[in-house]
Amino acid sequence: LSPDDPYLSYHDIRLTKDDVDCIKSDWLTDNVIAFWEEYLEHEKLTAYPKANIILLRPTMSFMLMKTGDPLTIKDALPDFSHTTHIFLPINNNSDVECAEGGSHWSLLLVSIVDGVAFHYDSMYPANKAEAMLASHKISELLGAPLAFMNLEDSPQQENGSDCGVYVCLLMQHLLLHRLLKAHAAHKVSMSMKEKDVDAAGGRKEMMRVIEMFRREGERRRSYVMPMPASSYHPPSRTAMVNLTHRRRSTSPFGNKNHSKSPPRIGDN
């Protein structure tokens, strides 16, 4: 496969070979982080039907930060009226015209019920200004003030490329082991001071999940009627919107002479 070739279609996300290759040792693309959010939503959050937690995609977070009046894009964002918490991947790209812009990811967790925005930065305090801006925009959308907490005790990365992995792993831990396991009457500590982040192990886990879905997609495809080798399945309108807004990831279409669509999981 070439870098632009589609590798896996998972619900509204289509990963390319380039996306998958970056997981092994490079800086994560928007699309990989969006895939991990999609995975958490479909494979984990569904077990908690009463939870009102939103994992905002990187493209939506970026659009929110770069829009002067966030109320003008309210219809393009999820409905936050009953939401208790919002996860936002934060990127330091300052140029809306630069698809490959930005050099660092961090994570913002907005607790609407507590009126607090918690910022987890694995290169503290690199993304403080960007996270404060996102917090302010969310506050405007909600019509309610938010206290901003830039957590000094956030786990710190040991190289220059693991920031996106930290975002994915901290998001998963906070979601599954703090918010969804919390008792309604108990206060939950949002500090990650004692959290040991295994970035290398996280990358391996992402690859394991992707390869598992890819095998499952191939298996499902083997049970349907054979199609001509030249057949091509265009992505849905939802997927096209996702692709249009994506900043960093390259187009999954690339060479138009693909012989087949990628293994697919989920109905798009």
Side-chain angles (χ1 to χ4, degrees), residues 85-121:
H85 297 83
I86 309 170
F87 285 89
L88 299 90
I90 303 296
N91 187 272
N92 65 352
N93 182 19
S94 60
D95 186 359
V96 295
E97 300 298 326
C98 183
E100 298 295 324
S103 60
H104 183 52
W105 290 108
S106 59
L107 177 66
L108 187 69
L109 169 55
V110 175
S111 174
I112 298 177
V113 292
D114 297 313
V116 180
F118 301 94
H119 184 223
Y120 304 88
D121 193 337

Side-chain angles (χ1 to χ4, degrees), residues 9 11 58 67 81 118-119 131 135 138 148 150 171 181 208 216 224 236-237 248 258:
S9 179
H11 294 278
T67 301
S81 58
F118 301 94
H119 184 223
S135 177
I138 286 289
F148 179 78
N150 199 35
M171 183 188 304
K181 296 289 181 67
R208 185 195 68 78
E216 175 63 16
V224 300
S236 67
R237 184 181 303 174
R248 294 199 79 256
H258 294 313

Side-chain angles (χ1 to χ4, degrees), residues 167-206:
V167 166
C168 292
L169 296 183
L170 289 178
M171 183 188 304
Q172 176 174 286
H173 183 81
L174 288 164
L175 176 67
L176 302 184
H177 301 288
R178 297 293 176 91
L179 300 183
L180 295 178
K181 296 289 181 67
H183 189 282
H186 297 162
K187 281 288 184 180
V188 180
S189 171
M190 303 311 292
S191 170
M192 291 285 98
K193 183 177 181 179
E194 304 299 328
K195 174 62 178 173
D196 180 26
V197 177
D198 178 7
R203 290 179 184 273
K204 291 178 182 178
E205 175 63 9
M206 290 180 187

Side-chain angles (χ1 to χ4, degrees), residues 251-266:
S251 169
F253 300 108
N255 187 332
K256 295 182 180 180
N257 294 321
H258 294 313
S259 62
K260 63 180 182 179
S261 62
R264 179 190 301 268
I265 297 293

Side-chain angles (χ1 to χ4, degrees), residues 6-7 214-227 231 233 259-265:
Y7 193 83
R214 184 172 165 82
R215 289 193 299 270
E216 175 63 16
E218 292 282 14
R219 185 189 66 80
R220 293 183 184 183
R221 186 157 56 185
S222 69
Y223 285 107
V224 300
M225 183 181 297
M227 295 176 290
S231 65
H233 294 273
S259 62
K260 63 180 182 179
S261 62
R264 179 190 301 268
I265 297 293

